[in-house]
Amino acid sequence: MSDFTKKITLALTGASGSAYALRLIECLVAANYQIYLLYSSAARVVFDTEVGLKLPGAPEAASEFLTEKFSAKAGQITVFGKEQWFSPVASGSAAPGVMVVCPCSTGTLAAISTGMSDNLIERAADVVIKERGQLILVPRETPFSTIHLQNMLSLSQQGVTIMPAAPGFYHNPQSINDLIDFMVGRILDHLNIEQSIMPRWGYQKS
């Protein structure tokens, strides 16, 4: 087993934004993070629709598939099923202190806000909140309803970072990949992971 810099839980849900998640995984692998990966059934449908990627349903097959796709080290990407309650992410004594949900559906956001914990994604987020860890949610919806905003406010008041998938344009993007990198770069900044994929304000090329 390789030694990794840190561990992180990454969850993918049924909101639009598959490309953000793929780029984030690529960057986390490059940064030598060990990734505990969770994804919903809706996420599998969205990934197939948006980027033509068929994520395996079985956790072991998914781990092997993604390890090969991202040229990751052995054990660097481990996928858990939605009801694998004995996985490390389900317990405060074993879960990483950092979790990102990208993309985050408003349904998942609502469930996390109310502490539902009906599946492993929701439980993992609940664990990070109760253990006072770092949780970043990347919702992708428009417009936001009052219900969405109230859920976001409730989570923000508990220390959760709400980072809507809303890329900026001050870096003069030339492609969709530039817009993807903007958002992923901001996520990496909040994770304190050194990145050069997105120039910061005041440092962009003139």
Side-chain angles (χ1 to χ4, degrees):
M1 182 69 68
S2 300
D3 292 328
F4 300 105
T5 306
K6 292 182 179 179
K7 296 181 180 181
I8 187 170
T9 304
L10 175 61
L12 323 175
T13 69
S16 180
S18 307
Y20 294 123
L22 293 177
R23 183 63 164 136
L24 181 56
I25 294 172
E26 181 182 16
C27 291
L28 290 172
V29 168
N32 199 36
Y33 268 63
Q34 185 174 20
I35 305 167
Y36 291 154
L37 187 63
L38 321 172
Y39 52 75
S40 66
S41 298
R44 293 180 63 210
V45 174
V46 173
F47 269 67
D48 189 15
T49 301
E50 292 187 343
V51 296
L53 184 66
K54 297 184 182 296
L55 294 170
E60 289 186 5
S63 299
E64 294 177 4
F65 172 77
L66 292 170
T67 295
E68 181 177 352
K69 176 175 176 59
F70 291 99
S71 300
K73 299 175 183 177
Q76 189 169 14
I77 300 176
T78 302
V79 178
F80 294 109
K82 65 179 181 179
E83 294 185 348
Q84 285 188 259
W85 302 113
F86 287 98
S87 63
V89 301
S91 172
S93 64
V98 179
M99 178 176 180
V100 179
V101 184
C102 175
C104 181
S105 67
T106 52
T108 298
L109 189 146
I112 294 172
S113 175
T114 54
M116 293 294 290
S117 294
D118 281 342
N119 58 48
L120 192 58
I121 291 176
E122 297 166 12
R123 171 58 183 169
D126 189 61
V127 166
V128 173
I129 292 172
K130 79 181 183 70
E131 296 294 328
R132 300 295 192 267
Q134 181 184 19
L135 176 60
I136 299 175
L137 305 182
V138 185
R140 211 309 306 173
E141 185 61 271
T142 190
F144 289 127
S145 72
T146 301
I147 295 172
H148 302 153
L149 294 170
Q150 287 173 335
N151 288 331
M152 291 181 200
L153 176 60
S154 174
L155 288 166
S156 180
Q157 289 171 334
Q158 297 176 66
V160 176
T161 298
I162 308 296
M163 190 180 298
F169 290 84
Y170 62 77
H171 61 309
N172 190 28
Q174 300 298 304
S175 67
I176 291 177
N177 286 338
D178 290 340
L179 297 175
I180 294 168
D181 280 354
F182 181 97
M183 281 308 308
V184 174
R186 294 295 290 133
I187 295 170
L188 295 174
D189 286 343
H190 277 258
L191 294 173
N192 293 317
I193 298 176
E194 186 176 350
Q195 62 88 14
S196 59
I197 63 174
M198 191 277 291
R200 294 173 177 80
W201 177 260
Y203 293 89
Q204 64 270 33
K205 296 178 181 179
S206 58

